Amino acid sequence: MVNRKSRRISTLGSRLSSLASVALVLVLLGVAVLCGVAGHNLNEEVRRNLGFTIKMERDCAPRDIDLLKKSLLESGAVDVLTFSSAEDILAEESEYLGEDISATIDENPYSAELDVRVRPAYSSPDSITALADRYANASGVEEIITESAVIEGVDSTLRRVGLILVTLATILLAVSVALIHNTISLSIYARRFVIHTMKLVGATASFIRRPFIRAATLGGCVSGVVAGGVLALLRAYGNSLDPLFGDALPWTVVITVGVLLVIVGGLICMLTAFVATNKYLRASYDQMFLE
């Protein structure tokens, strides 16, 4: 009675250890995926803030401004177009300096401006330069200001960060598969003599495999649920520290990744259990001691 109870406790401990190990690996994989998604979202947000400023001539006709705005919006490359009149810019400068500049000058020295933010697909330095050059000689345009060095630096940094995240995700995926495979294989290895005994009493291969595959698949899905819960807690904690964290990782993304972890955990554990069980189904009694 004591031995049976001890055996049950040992089996339960082994299963819990296996679940915890798989869940931990899935958490690492989920974190890598969420980092990739957050990096992509931040990349898109940064690229949406890239563009140039068009300074209009001080005596520019309103018609020229309207035609230029229409042409920019119809180009398909502009994401956000903001128009600031000379009066708006003067008011902004007065607010920034903390005093009314208009009271000390006879004439407004500023001219109207168009702030152009391009779509992410057009955010490369060459695309922005080409778009700016297209309107350099437009009627009423005095000057186009592009921060080429800043744009090139941001573009280069985003490319490096993206490459690092993809490499990290690939490595973690490979490590995750290997660790889950080892965990499930060791679990089945501990019961290899049970498999051999079932063979001796005439059980078919599919009959022997079924409980191992079912248990491994269920364990993988449960581990995926646990990993998804951990990711949700991490997201909630990150959002409490900085709302921008939540903007980069919406709940829909976290839930989607959690569901994928359940599916991936179940599939990897199922395939691993299938392979490991077949290995011991083919092994002879003597080979059980050589493993």
Side-chain angles (χ1 to χ4, degrees), residues 24 46 61 68 72 92 119 123 127 155 159 172 230 234-235 271:
L24 179 59
V46 170
L68 183 58
L72 285 166
E92 290 177 3
R119 299 182 186 277
S123 61
S127 298
D155 186 70
R159 289 180 184 277
L172 281 177
V230 172
L234 291 176
R235 193 272 184 193
L271 293 175

Side-chain angles (χ1 to χ4, degrees), residues 67-128:
L67 289 175
L68 183 58
K69 289 166 64 176
K70 181 179 179 182
S71 178
L72 285 166
L73 292 174
E74 291 178 349
S75 68
V78 178
D79 186 38
V80 178
L81 180 62
T82 305
F83 172 73
S84 299
S85 66
E87 291 73 20
D88 293 335
I89 297 175
L90 180 61
E92 290 177 3
E93 289 296 323
S94 297
E95 182 179 356
Y96 177 74
L97 295 175
E99 61 177 320
D100 187 6
I101 302 178
S102 60
T104 61
I105 58 177
D106 297 329
E107 184 180 1
N108 189 343
Y110 299 103
S111 59
E113 294 182 355
L114 285 170
D115 185 58
V116 182
R117 303 295 100 181
V118 300
R119 299 182 186 277
Y122 297 87
S123 61
S124 66
D126 293 339
S127 298
I128 292 177

Side-chain angles (χ1 to χ4, degrees), residues 151-190:
I151 294 172
E152 291 177 1
V154 169
D155 186 70
S156 175
T157 300
L158 291 177
R159 289 180 184 277
R160 286 199 299 268
V161 171
L163 179 60
I164 292 173
L165 288 175
V166 170
T167 303
L168 178 63
T170 302
I171 293 174
L172 281 177
L173 178 60
V175 171
S176 299
V177 172
L179 289 177
I180 292 175
H181 178 273
N182 289 338
T183 300
I184 301 301
S185 296
L186 286 173
S187 177
I188 295 178
Y189 170 79

Side-chain angles (χ1 to χ4, degrees), residues 14-59:
S14 176
R15 289 180 179 177
L16 290 177
S17 176
S18 177
L19 287 174
S21 300
V22 175
L24 179 59
V25 173
L26 291 176
V27 166
L28 293 177
L29 181 59
V31 168
V33 174
L34 290 182
C35 285
V37 173
H40 173 75
N41 290 340
L42 291 175
N43 186 345
E44 293 292 299
E45 185 62 28
V46 170
R47 289 186 181 280
R48 287 192 186 95
N49 291 320
L50 297 179
F52 53 90
T53 301
I54 301 177
K55 292 187 64 176
M56 308 301 295
E57 295 175 350
R58 295 180 62 183
D59 57 350

Side-chain angles (χ1 to χ4, degrees), residues 139-159:
S139 178
V141 174
E142 178 183 354
E143 181 186 9
I144 295 183
I145 303 173
T146 58
E147 299 177 342
S148 302
V150 174
I151 294 172
E152 291 177 1
V154 169
D155 186 70
S156 175
T157 300
L158 291 177
R159 289 180 184 277

Side-chain angles (χ1 to χ4, degrees), residues 183-206:
T183 300
I184 301 301
S185 296
L186 286 173
S187 177
I188 295 178
Y189 170 79
R191 304 179 66 188
R192 65 193 185 282
F193 289 108
V194 175
I195 295 175
H196 186 72
T197 301
M198 295 175 72
K199 284 170 53 180
L200 293 179
V201 299
T204 62
S206 60

